Amino acid sequence: AALVLDDYLFVGGENSRIHIAKLNRAYDADGQVTVDPELVFHAAGWDSELLAAVGENVSIENSVAISGDTLYFANSGGLVQGWDISRLQEGAEPTRVFRYWVGDDVDASIVVDGEGMLYVGVEFERNTSRARELGQVIKLDPSRSGEDALVWAVAENQGLDTGVWGTPALYQDLLIFAGEGGRLRAVERTTGSEVWSIELGVHLWQSPVVVDDVLVMGNCSGVLRAFDLRGRDQPVERWALPLDQSCIEATPAVWDGWIVIGTRSGRIYGVAERGG
């Protein structure tokens, strides 16, 4: 997904290039919106060091994130990057200011907390020594360089083609993430220590969503669940709703008491959360 900020559109591509377009939005004499997009910057999302480590398949499949004056993204080769965009409006090209290799495919979007720390969910498909060493949920401090950027890492590896595919969620002092192997877990944001874990069946591809102390999570059996997160202990399941026995891959939208979610069958459902 692209991100629009201050008349600029930021988006990564399957060609592993990062793109920035100036939209040049305005209003015409009739009050209608006009737009005249201009590509002002694009650059490779890989480097020779990454290609030497993983070979091909270095596409950018996650949504970009911006914190302060830094644009963050990762690619299918596992390269997490930060680019300085502070002088973009002055016409200066962005420069890369942060680089960290996590060892495997990153489809999940990078999550940034209020302190500027990065949380990265990583798949496990290449079976690299780097991925086995680090783990699949990683906290990074982008103010540090090289290996010093690693704060902690958690393993979520249940064999090849597992790991974390969806974007983790921040909730109070917890980081909540889903493993492709079927585990929904919460760890402390400061230490990475596990607080709770729930088995929900294989293929958890949706990103967890937390709204008003309620966690919404679906699985590939087509069951959508809601959990009450109040309290530090194991979450309490509020309800479980079977939809159509088709995989829930997409992240639901939650608004004004409604949950809107699509499944692989092509259907879109509206679910009303009533009471409390």
Side-chain angles (χ1 to χ4, degrees):
L3 179 62
V4 175
L5 183 66
D6 294 333
D7 203 38
Y8 289 90
L9 181 144
F10 305 83
V11 66
E14 285 275 356
N15 58 359
S16 194
R17 299 191 71 84
I18 186 68
H19 306 85
I20 303 176
K22 192 172 190 310
L23 297 177
N24 295 310
R25 293 174 296 180
Y27 294 97
D28 63 18
D30 297 324
Q32 300 298 309
V33 174
T34 64
V35 62
D36 184 19
E38 171 193 6
L39 186 64
V40 295
F41 178 77
H42 65 99
W46 71 91
D47 54 29
S48 57
E49 185 179 350
L50 178 68
L51 295 183
V54 302
E56 58 184 15
N57 187 15
V58 290
S59 60
I60 301 171
E61 298 187 51
N62 51 17
S63 304
V64 299
I66 293 178
S67 176
D69 291 323
T70 307
L71 170 71
Y72 293 105
F73 61 93
N75 63 25
S76 295
L79 186 59
V80 178
Q81 304 175 60
W83 288 68
D84 181 4
I85 56 173
S86 60
R87 299 184 58 207
L88 186 62
Q89 295 185 2
E90 302 171 18
E93 288 196 346
T95 56
R96 193 171 73 179
V97 293
F98 181 73
R99 181 193 192 278
Y100 193 89
W101 184 46
V102 296
D104 215 328
D105 188 357
V106 179
D107 281 356
S109 300
I110 295 172
V111 177
V112 189
D113 70 14
E115 298 177 339
M117 300 293 152
L118 312 181
Y119 301 87
V120 186
V122 187
E123 296 181 23
F124 187 77
E125 62 180 19
R126 285 187 169 94
N127 195 24
T128 65
S129 58
R130 176 75 166 176
R132 294 194 301 271
E133 172 192 344
L134 281 178
Q136 288 66 54
V137 179
I138 297 168
K139 180 177 181 178
L140 300 172
D141 182 351
S143 69
R144 304 175 186 174
S145 60
E147 295 303 309
D148 290 339
L150 180 65
V151 180
W152 52 253
V154 174
E156 183 50 51
N157 166 15
Q158 295 176 302
L160 284 178
D161 296 324
T162 60
V164 175
W165 297 26
T167 301
L170 292 173
Y171 172 71
Q172 297 181 1
D173 62 344
L174 300 179
L175 181 76
I176 301 172
F177 58 92
E180 199 279 342
R183 287 187 296 202
L184 180 65
R185 300 171 64 187
V187 298
E188 293 182 348
R189 286 167 55 182
T190 54
T191 65
S193 299
E194 183 169 298
V195 177
W196 51 258
S197 175
I198 303 173
E199 292 287 344
L200 292 182
V202 297
H203 306 319
L204 298 184
W205 295 342
Q206 178 215 302
S207 302
V209 172
V210 180
V211 177
D212 295 335
D213 301 316
V214 176
L215 167 64
V216 179
M217 187 71 208
N219 66 12
C220 255
S221 298
V223 179
L224 188 68
R225 289 181 167 86
F227 297 90
D228 191 335
L229 293 181
R230 290 174 295 184
R232 182 73 174 177
D233 299 328
Q234 194 89 354
V236 176
E237 185 174 288
R238 292 165 64 101
W239 48 260
L241 178 65
L243 296 178
D244 58 14
Q245 297 183 339
S246 185
C247 185
I248 299 173
E249 295 183 51
T251 302
V254 182
W255 178 255
D256 196 24
W258 284 87
I259 302 165
V260 181
I261 181 69
T263 71
R264 191 185 285 178
S265 70
R267 293 181 175 89
I268 297 176
Y269 294 88
V271 179
E273 244 271 345
R274 302 299 188 191

